Amino acid sequence: MKISSNPSPDSIKNTLIHLLFLVALLPLKSKAQSKSITLEEAIKIAQEKSPDYKINLNRNQRDYWRYRNYKASFLPELRLNATLPDYSNAIRRITNDSGQDIFVNQNQLLVEGGLSLAQSIPYTGGTLSINTNLERIELFGLDDNVRFSVIPFTIRYSQNSLLYNPFRWDKQIEPLVYEESKREFVETMEEIAVSTSRRYFQLLKAQKQLDIAQINRSNQDTLYKIAQGRYKVGKIAENDVLQIELTLLNSKNNVTTNTIELKRTSQNLARYLELESENLKLDVPNALPLFDVTFEKALEEAQQNRKAVIEFRRRRLEAEKEVAAQRGNNRLNIGLEANFGISNNGEDFNTLFDSFNQQQNVSLRVGIPLFDWGVSKSRRKIAEANLDLTNNNINQSQQEFEQEIFLHVLNWSNQREFLLTAEKAKEVAQKRYDISQKRYKLGKITITDLNIALQEKDRAVLQYLNALERFWLDYYTLRQLTLYDFIENKKITIESIVFK
């Protein structure tokens, strides 16, 4: 046989076509590859990439910076205040030394600047500040057209009310708000685990139901061919053939329906986890190691770890703060303003600091509602009623809090038994269907009996998956309600987050 060393143009063309075809199939092949994932892996991904995690992180960042802002409000604040420049050319009305109002043309340029150091006083509810200021005024159209004014320092104290101190209440409330936020972050992470588990089992059940539907379609197709053969030889009636044909058609429809459901649930999970591929292969999670949970232990951990306990205290303090504000401001309103300092002014800047004039003032404001048609009293009564309402709501919420934990612990104690029973029922139903299928092929049972066995088998499989889903959902819900890991016997915490 003679082999040509120079390939023909047709062979080269065919080779190129085959290569291009293979290259075109490569993306399809890689895209068709499924990604295997377990329930634990899905939860870990969701707690790092899901939309709920990002929202949770943003909320925690907001509360973190709110607390930082609160802490910084009690630190000294140094400010530079300046007017650069303030030019005015207008006719203004002024009062002269004899008490007459006259109109003068004012054409001037003002430049001023100063520093202020302010400090909140949490023990009294007021603000103490030290200020300094320097002004330069230039009057246009006059010979001596420049004047200076200086305030080397002035000490000022102001307080809106002597009977109500908001700083004292904020000092109790704001740390609770921040602690509540940190606990809410941990609870939300466990809530993400519950949400992920729900999506995971929705897809897992869709995959299993599609597998069952495909197997049933194949089996029904085989049985339909057997029934046609028996009908031709007169062993079964036409009604039996029609019934199994109807079952075959329903099996085909079930495959189509479950294929659509598989697509929906796979997209739901993949997008929640922000995965590139929607072709996921899920593993059936096993049951957890056996452990007991007592109501006393669960309630103790919940009261120590949950944000609800902090929330109850915070809500009560906020209501008490409003009552204190109404009582402190409605009956008698007393405010204090005090100022002490020195100042000087003149035409020569170099002589401004030779001597100073004292400036001080103390102002005590008193407001007493003599007759206000009951407005002050009604505000106070509204605040007191809101406090009583808040206390009653908190008491009811505490009872619901304890009842939720009690019922869930009770449900969890029976969940493993439900799962074992459902698993045994699945095995029994599968075995019964296998036997019924063999007996039908031997002509010992009717198609109706076989369909009943088929329906019971499919229902048992779905009930087992539902029981397995409830088992895992209840486990993660138990963690969320207590923020405690009963397998490792430790509290559930999240590592500290560094915000930039």
Side-chain angles (χ1 to χ4, degrees):
M1 180 177 179
K2 184 177 180 181
I3 301 176
S4 174
S5 58
N6 297 323
S8 64
D10 292 338
S11 62
I12 296 176
K13 182 179 179 181
N14 292 333
T15 302
L16 291 175
I17 291 175
H18 286 300
L19 288 175
L20 291 174
F21 181 73
L22 291 175
V23 171
L25 285 179
L26 285 176
L28 297 176
K29 183 178 180 181
S30 61
K31 185 176 181 180
Q33 293 177 350
S34 61
K35 176 180 177 61
S36 299
I37 187 172
T38 63
L39 177 59
E40 291 77 7
E41 292 173 345
I43 292 175
K44 183 178 180 181
I45 295 173
Q47 291 178 339
E48 294 176 353
K49 299 174 61 178
S50 69
D52 288 342
Y53 167 74
K54 295 175 182 177
I55 294 174
N56 188 31
L57 182 62
N58 292 336
R59 186 188 302 115
N60 190 268
Q61 288 176 332
R62 178 202 62 191
D63 295 335
Y64 169 79
W65 288 111
R66 169 180 170 170
Y67 185 69
R68 282 284 302 272
N69 178 69
Y70 159 75
K71 296 289 287 184
S73 65
F74 291 101
L75 300 177
E77 179 186 5
L78 180 63
R79 292 181 62 87
L80 171 65
N81 303 301
T83 302
L84 302 171
D86 181 7
Y87 173 73
S88 175
N89 184 7
I91 297 177
R92 300 181 183 276
R93 184 182 66 179
I94 63 174
T95 304
N96 60 17
D97 295 339
S98 61
Q100 296 178 338
D101 289 343
I102 60 175
F103 293 88
V104 298
N105 184 19
Q106 187 180 67
N107 188 6
Q108 68 177 25
L109 177 67
L110 170 65
V111 178
E112 66 171 337
L115 295 174
S116 64
L117 181 64
Q119 171 68 59
S120 299
I121 310 299
Y123 303 103
T124 62
T127 302
L128 178 66
S129 63
I130 301 176
N131 305 273
T132 180
N133 191 68
L134 176 64
E135 293 183 0
R136 180 185 183 276
I137 302 177
E138 183 175 357
L139 303 175
F140 298 101
L142 299 176
D143 294 337
D144 299 331
N145 61 349
V146 178
R147 296 189 64 86
F148 297 92
S149 175
V150 63
I151 302 177
F153 77 90
T154 177
I155 301 175
R156 182 178 303 160
Y157 179 81
S158 62
Q159 185 169 337
N160 293 329
S161 175
L162 297 179
L163 303 179
Y164 170 66
N165 181 2
F167 296 155
R168 182 176 70 87
W169 291 99
D170 291 342
K171 196 172 183 179
Q172 301 179 67
I173 294 175
E174 289 299 328
L176 293 180
V177 173
Y178 184 51
E179 179 64 25
E180 184 182 342
S181 171
K182 292 192 292 184
R183 296 190 181 190
E184 183 181 16
F185 184 87
V186 183
E187 286 187 34
T188 305
M189 295 295 281
E190 292 303 309
E191 185 179 345
I192 291 174
V194 175
S195 180
T196 306
S197 300
R198 187 174 291 108
R199 287 176 167 84
Y200 186 93
F201 276 99
Q202 286 176 350
L203 176 56
L204 180 61
K205 288 189 291 185
Q207 290 179 344
K208 294 300 179 181
Q209 287 179 302
L210 179 59
D211 292 340
I212 293 173
Q214 291 174 340
I215 293 174
N216 289 342
R217 181 184 61 183
S218 177
N219 292 338
Q220 294 300 326
D221 185 65
T222 302
L223 293 176
Y224 179 64
K225 293 178 181 178
I226 294 175
Q228 285 180 319
R230 290 180 178 177
Y231 174 70
K232 290 179 180 179
V233 296
K235 290 185 177 181
I236 60 175
E238 183 181 5
N239 182 61
D240 293 334
V241 178
L242 294 176
Q243 184 175 359
I244 197 170
E245 183 180 6
L246 179 61
T247 304
L248 174 60
L249 294 175
N250 290 333
S251 299
K252 292 180 179 179
N253 290 335
N254 287 337
V255 171
T256 303
T257 302
N258 287 296
T259 301
I260 297 174
E261 178 65 12
L262 176 65
K263 184 64 176 178
R264 185 189 68 82
T265 54
S266 62
Q267 285 184 349
N268 190 19
L269 179 61
R271 292 177 181 178
Y272 188 72
L273 302 182
E274 294 192 354
L275 300 177
E276 296 180 358
S277 174
E278 297 177 359
N279 190 10
L280 304 176
K281 181 180 179 182
L282 305 186
D283 294 334
V284 179
N286 298 321
L288 291 168
L290 182 63
F291 62 91
D292 295 326
V293 180
T294 63
F295 169 69
E296 292 75 16
K297 177 64 174 177
L299 181 60
E300 177 186 359
E301 294 298 334
Q303 291 176 338
Q304 292 180 1
N305 306 330
R306 289 278 300 279
K307 74 157 188 172
V309 180
I310 302 295
E311 180 186 355
F312 296 154
R313 293 167 53 190
R314 189 256 305 165
R315 288 166 54 188
R316 185 176 287 111
L317 282 173
E318 288 177 342
E320 292 175 353
K321 174 184 176 181
E322 183 61 24
V323 172
Q326 295 302 327
R327 289 177 177 175
N329 295 327
N330 274 347
R331 293 180 178 177
L332 178 63
N333 195 333
I334 303 178
L336 176 64
E337 185 85 24
N339 181 68
F340 173 77
I342 57 176
S343 64
N344 196 9
N345 60 81
E347 300 175 358
D348 188 1
F349 179 79
N350 296 325
T351 61
L352 284 178
F353 299 92
D354 293 343
S355 62
F356 298 98
N357 302 316
Q358 291 187 358
Q359 58 173 19
Q360 60 254 348
N361 68 280
V362 177
S363 174
L364 183 64
R365 303 183 305 274
V366 179
I368 303 175
L370 299 179
F371 189 76
D372 61 355
W373 303 95
V375 173
S376 301
K377 181 179 179 180
S378 62
R379 289 176 179 173
R380 187 176 69 255
K381 290 298 183 180
I382 290 174
E384 292 173 352
N386 285 333
L387 176 59
D388 294 338
L389 178 61
T390 300
N391 287 329
N392 291 329
N393 289 337
I394 289 175
N395 292 335
Q396 183 178 359
S397 298
Q398 286 176 333
Q399 294 178 1
E400 295 174 352
F401 176 81
E402 295 179 2
Q403 184 181 18
E404 182 183 22
I405 295 175
F406 174 78
L407 293 177
H408 197 79
V409 170
L410 179 63
N411 185 63
W412 170 255
S413 62
N414 298 316
Q415 202 55 247
R416 182 177 295 273
E417 186 65 26
F418 291 153
L419 182 60
L420 293 176
T421 303
E423 185 177 13
K424 183 63 176 178
K426 182 192 70 168
E427 295 174 355
V428 171
Q430 181 65 48
K431 185 175 181 181
R432 179 175 181 271
Y433 174 72
D434 293 340
I435 294 175
S436 298
Q437 192 177 29
K438 293 178 181 178
R439 296 187 65 191
Y440 176 78
K441 292 179 179 179
L442 295 176
K444 294 184 178 181
I445 63 173
T446 64
I447 186 61
T448 302
D449 296 330
L450 179 62
N451 286 336
I452 293 175
L454 173 63
Q455 294 173 1
E456 291 179 349
K457 184 261 296 183
D458 293 346
R459 185 163 54 247
V461 172
L462 183 58
Q463 289 176 348
Y464 169 72
L465 291 176
N466 288 333
L468 187 62
E469 179 184 12
R470 288 194 299 269
F471 177 85
W472 281 98
L473 288 178
D474 284 347
Y475 168 68
Y476 284 111
T477 302
L478 180 64
R479 286 168 55 102
Q480 180 186 356
L481 291 178
T482 60
L483 296 186
Y484 190 81
D485 188 344
F486 289 92
I487 297 179
E488 301 293 337
N489 290 323
K490 63 179 183 180
K491 299 181 185 299
I492 300 174
T493 59
I494 302 296
E495 296 180 357
S496 300
I497 302 174
V498 179
F499 300 114
K500 299 181 179 180

